[in-house]
């Protein structure tokens, strides 16, 4: 491989195209490394924002490109035939199972459709990883650092062609309505609210009719 | 047989273009498009983006909830055939095939190209034959592999042009192997 001017190759002449995609399939990242990096990311964002909503938005933006990349990577690793999700429910199941297993080594805990709003879906996680290493001071108790994971989810949804108005993370651990016994068992319980846009629902309807018709 | 391969991003802009000819059956791997219709190639290719967007949502079975990535033969214009492939991130790969005329009538075909349809018609190219489909699908899968590696780079922003010569080499290699 001749070195072209302006392009530098590493000394062993291997480019990113020579690395196998499945090479890191079962590799595990050290938690300490992630915690260290995540804490730095939060303080980086914190220096530049003035409010909690803004901080959550920054974390969301940091996670978004991850979602786009993980979508394609995880689809290549599915056993063939790999199908792209075209309906909302398979997409959410893909997120709750495959994506969560890839990131946290366990599937998400619950997936619900909201009663009040047909465009809204809720994904529950009893103990999101980013929050285990963050302690919130009292004045910032509204903040939920799982906004980073919410950004990843938003990236996956947008990449698959299901634009959202936003994916946000809320803690429901300490509330009464958070499920009684479960609220006390999992104080870090977080719900991810996924709000799809209007055109997604329209397409769902058309596809739903076409499939059963 | 000449091919024009392009990758179209989510904003319908071309992120990558590559022309090549077949390396099988004595072809030398160089594309031969009639010069006056070169601009047709891009036009036809881009007009099939609409069809890709329509086809991409139809599931394989009513209950599967998913759709395959390889969309096979999706469009035909005069004598140009377009095959499509869509990635998980909604990036479209388009392969436009221009079958060449039989060698004996090559000179007459070039002479007549100014008159009737710009492309010599070749009745022995069947884009829906399983062998062709398989070859094109293998080509797309190889390119998809290289594509996923491209987007994994943290320096690659969405809908950037792909300029890496290594990527170009990969596409050319896959083309040589399968087409």
């Amino acid at each position: 491989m001749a070195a072209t001017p302006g392009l530098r190759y590493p000394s062993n002449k291997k480019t990113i195209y020579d690395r196998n995609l499945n090479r890191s399939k079962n590799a595990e990242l050290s938690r300490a490394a992630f915690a260290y990096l995540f804490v730095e990311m939060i303080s980086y964002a914190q220096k530049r924002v003035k409010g909690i909503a803004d901080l959550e938005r920054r974390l969301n933006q940091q996670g978004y490109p991850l979602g786009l990349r993980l979508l394609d990577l995880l689809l290549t690793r599915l056993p063939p035939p790999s199908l792209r999700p075209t309906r909302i429910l398979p997409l959410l199941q893909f997120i709750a199972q495959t994506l969560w297993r890839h990131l946290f080594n366990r599937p998400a805990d619950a997936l619900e459709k909201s009663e009040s709003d047909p465009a809204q879906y809720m994904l529950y996680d009893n103990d999101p990883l980013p929050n285990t290493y963050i302690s919130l001071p009292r004045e910032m108790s509204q903040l939920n650092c799982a906004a980073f994971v919410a950004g990843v989810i938003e990236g996956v949804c947008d990449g698959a062609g299901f634009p959202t108005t936003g994916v946000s993370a809320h803690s429901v651990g300490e509330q009464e309505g958070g499920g009684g016994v479960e609220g006390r068992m999992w104080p870090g319980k977080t719900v991810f609210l996924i709000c799809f846009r209007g055109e997604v629902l329209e397409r769902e309807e058309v596809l739903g009719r076409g499939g059963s018709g | 047989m000449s091919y024009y391969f392009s990758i179209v991003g989510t904003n319908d802009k071309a992120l990558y273009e590559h022309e090549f000819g077949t390396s099988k059956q004595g072809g030398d791997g160089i594309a031969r498009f009639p010069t006056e219709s070169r601009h047709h190639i891009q036009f036809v290719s881009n007009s099939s983006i609409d069809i890709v967007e329509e086809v991409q949502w139809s599931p394989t079975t009513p209950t599967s909830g998913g759709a395959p990535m390889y969309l096979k033969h999706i469009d035909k214009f005069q004598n140009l055939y377009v095959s499509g492939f869509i990635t998980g991130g909604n990036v479209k790969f388009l392969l436009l095939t221009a079958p060449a005329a039989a060698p004996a009538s090559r000179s007459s075909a070039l002479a007549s190209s100014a008159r009737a349809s710009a492309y010599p018609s070749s009745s022995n190219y069947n884009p829906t034959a399983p062998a062709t489909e398989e070859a094109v699908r293998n080509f797309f899968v190889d390119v998809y592999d290289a594509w996923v590696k491209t987007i994994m780079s943290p320096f690659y922003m969405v809908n950037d042009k792909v300029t890496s010569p290594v990527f170009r080499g990969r596409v050319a290699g896959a083309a040589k192997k399968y087409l």
Side-chain angles (χ1 to χ4, degrees):
Chain A
M1 221 187 306
T4 53
L7 191 67
R8 290 173 305 160
Y9 286 96
S11 50
N12 59 353
K13 295 273 189 273
K14 277 194 171 300
T15 61
I16 55 171
Y17 294 100
D18 295 320
R19 296 170 63 141
N20 190 354
L21 279 177
N22 290 337
R23 197 179 110 168
S24 56
K25 194 170 185 174
N26 296 322
E28 291 183 355
L29 178 66
S30 101
R31 264 199 197 205
F34 173 71
Y36 184 64
L37 183 62
F38 192 59
V39 164
E40 276 308 306
M41 280 163 68
I42 294 188
S43 39
Y44 175 89
Q46 205 164 6
K47 287 196 194 82
R48 286 161 175 74
V49 300
K50 297 186 187 52
I52 292 183
D54 224 6
L55 182 54
E56 287 205 352
R57 204 166 48 83
R58 283 231 168 209
L59 290 177
N60 194 308
Q61 278 170 2
Q62 281 172 343
Y64 187 82
L66 276 183
L68 295 175
R69 292 181 170 94
L70 280 178
L71 176 61
D72 263 312
L73 185 66
L74 294 178
L75 281 177
T76 48
R77 289 185 182 171
L78 283 182
S82 49
L83 300 175
R84 308 173 295 109
T86 45
R87 310 290 304 276
I88 289 187
L89 206 52
L91 175 73
L92 293 175
Q93 279 170 349
F94 174 77
I95 293 178
Q97 307 287 322
T98 319
L99 185 72
W100 236 253
R101 255 186 251 266
H102 177 84
L103 292 175
F104 309 121
N105 226 15
R106 56 182 169 82
D109 295 300
L111 175 62
E112 284 175 17
K113 185 172 150 60
S114 152
E115 312 275 325
S116 49
D117 188 356
Q120 207 174 71
Y121 289 79
M122 298 173 299
L123 195 74
Y124 288 91
D125 191 348
N126 287 339
D127 190 19
L129 189 70
N131 291 0
T132 39
Y133 297 103
I134 310 293
S135 57
L136 300 169
R138 210 170 336 137
E139 63 266 13
M140 299 196 114
S141 60
Q142 308 288 334
L143 173 68
N144 189 327
C145 296
F148 177 68
V149 182
V152 177
I153 297 179
E154 190 168 349
V156 172
C157 289
D158 275 3
F162 293 83
T164 60
T165 50
V167 181
S168 50
H170 305 271
S171 356
V172 293
E174 305 290 348
Q175 294 168 13
E176 285 301 318
V181 172
E182 286 169 19
R184 282 193 288 278
M185 242 169 60
W186 303 105
K189 189 172 167 112
T190 311
V191 61
F192 295 96
L193 283 174
I194 307 173
C195 308
F196 289 110
R197 290 214 190 153
E199 58 251 27
V200 178
L201 294 177
E202 284 171 19
R203 194 176 56 210
E204 267 297 296
E205 211 179 324
V206 171
L207 286 177
R209 263 187 280 130
S212 55
Chain B
M1 189 121 63
S2 312
Y3 299 94
Y4 171 75
F5 171 70
S6 67
I7 300 185
V8 179
T10 54
N11 52 0
D12 291 341
K13 280 206 248 178
L15 306 181
Y16 179 79
E17 292 172 327
H18 198 119
E19 291 178 5
F20 39 82
T22 184
S23 300
K24 299 217 182 318
Q25 295 166 359
D28 53 4
I30 301 181
R32 286 188 176 78
F33 289 112
T35 37
E36 64 272 358
S37 23
R38 282 197 87 99
H39 54 279
H40 269 186
I41 314 268
Q42 283 183 334
F43 187 68
V44 172
S45 213
N46 286 359
S47 68
S48 52
I49 297 178
D50 274 340
I51 307 191
V52 171
E53 287 186 355
E54 207 181 291
V55 174
Q56 80 180 85
W57 296 110
S58 61
T60 44
T61 68
T63 51
S64 71
M69 294 198 196
Y70 175 49
L71 299 170
K72 306 185 209 176
H73 168 235
I74 53 177
D75 193 19
K76 175 178 179 335
F77 175 80
Q78 287 187 358
N79 205 34
L80 301 171
Y81 300 94
V82 182
S83 318
F85 182 95
I86 186 155
T87 72
N90 268 347
V91 171
K92 303 154 185 89
F93 296 169
L94 297 166
L95 180 72
L96 181 139
T97 314
S105 57
R106 169 81 72 82
S107 49
S108 61
L110 281 179
S112 69
S113 63
R115 281 182 272 129
S117 77
Y119 301 95
S121 67
S122 161
S123 54
N124 47 3
Y125 178 66
N126 180 8
T128 50
T132 353
E133 278 192 354
E134 210 35 50
V136 175
R137 160 207 276 270
N138 285 335
F139 169 71
F140 276 140
V141 166
D142 264 8
V143 175
Y144 181 52
D145 199 54
W147 167 258
V148 175
K149 289 175 189 167
T150 308
I151 62 172
M152 282 295 127
S153 158
F155 298 112
Y156 178 80
M157 297 291 133
V158 175
N159 287 332
D160 265 357
K161 283 197 184 299
V162 185
T163 51
S164 162
V166 186
F167 185 73
R168 190 159 277 269
R170 291 279 151 139
V171 175
K176 211 160 166 183
K177 209 161 121 191
Y178 295 115
L179 294 175

